[in-house]
Amino acid sequence: MRDALAPDANVRYRPLLLKEIEKYVTVHTGYKGLEVTADGILCEDKHGEKQLVIKMQFAKSGDVPDCNS
């Protein structure tokens, strides 16, 4: 339940990391994951209030490799 993403990352690496993360995801900090549901992830904030924070979407691309070959 940290309030910042990667606060202990290297001072040179962290700004680059955060910039890349911003391109692809919405970050929710300060939450504790309680349960994964069909609608998303039920989380609890630092005040003890429960919220459905993330609506999950999955995409499949490509084929599953045949590991027996």
Side-chain angles (χ1 to χ4, degrees):
M1 290 198 348
R2 290 184 169 184
D3 289 327
L5 183 62
D8 52 354
N10 180 288
V11 69
R12 291 183 184 175
Y13 175 68
R14 187 172 185 266
L16 299 171
L17 172 67
L18 296 179
K19 191 173 183 179
E20 285 299 307
I21 289 173
E22 276 182 15
K23 289 181 188 178
Y24 303 104
V25 297
T26 301
V27 176
H28 298 273
T29 59
Y31 289 93
K32 174 181 166 184
L34 301 174
E35 180 182 352
V36 177
T37 70
D39 296 323
I41 301 174
L42 181 63
C43 294
E44 182 178 81
D45 66 15
K46 57 186 167 187
H47 304 292
E49 296 179 23
K50 294 181 181 177
Q51 299 180 24
L52 188 62
V53 176
I54 302 170
K55 182 170 180 152
M56 298 186 307
Q57 297 178 349
F58 297 94
K60 178 186 179 288
S61 63
D63 295 320
V64 176
D66 183 3
C67 296
N68 297 321
S69 299

